[in-house]
Amino acid sequence: MKKLSAVQLKQQALVLDIANTLEAQGRDELEGMLQCWFDVQYHQFPGSLLLRFQFDTEEAVLRAEPELKKWQRRLSSALLKKGVVLKDMRRHLIFTTDSPEE
């Protein structure tokens, strides 16, 4: 695996900080949420960023679905405060039951 450049390390720190903040808020506000995890290709950042809120059951995902747009706006707003603009916030955060290992 190739080492990350200084810029990519800053991007990673920024995404980790925002993901940790959203994860803490999500656990408090969304019933059944287990964790937040993300995938990103740093050479295509921010377009390749995808945060996933993992829930324990499919029913929990369905109950949380009406809140999805609010959480997408929160992600977009948090990134914007750090100077990162998302073209389409809907593509960067989803609710799922999949774990990072799957």
Side-chain angles (χ1 to χ4, degrees):
M1 187 165 141
K2 197 168 121 178
K3 288 183 93 174
L4 297 177
S5 70
V7 170
Q8 290 169 332
L9 289 172
K10 285 183 182 181
Q11 291 170 342
Q12 183 181 47
L14 177 132
V15 172
L16 275 171
D17 181 48
I18 290 171
N20 287 335
T21 301
L22 290 177
E23 179 179 40
Q25 292 173 354
R27 284 186 177 166
D28 290 342
E29 297 178 33
L30 297 169
E31 183 184 332
M33 185 187 159
L34 300 174
Q35 67 178 341
C36 172
W37 55 283
F38 67 90
D39 286 329
V40 67
Q41 307 298 315
Y42 292 104
H43 62 282
Q44 295 176 337
F45 183 80
S48 66
L49 176 65
L50 178 58
L51 261 73
R52 293 175 177 90
F53 278 18
Q54 181 185 345
F55 289 84
D56 54 1
T57 64
E58 197 63 46
E59 291 78 31
V61 172
L62 293 174
R63 283 192 305 270
E65 203 67 39
E67 301 287 315
L68 181 59
K69 283 194 189 318
K70 176 176 87 172
W71 288 95
Q72 290 168 335
R73 282 192 298 272
R74 284 187 184 184
L75 171 62
S76 181
S77 175
L79 286 168
L80 188 58
K81 286 178 184 174
K82 302 286 187 177
V84 178
V85 178
L86 296 177
K87 289 183 182 179
D88 182 4
M89 67 182 178
R90 294 171 294 170
R91 292 182 38 225
H92 299 282
L93 190 145
I94 61 170
F95 292 167
T96 185
T97 55
D98 295 340
S99 69
E101 293 82 32
E102 294 176 11

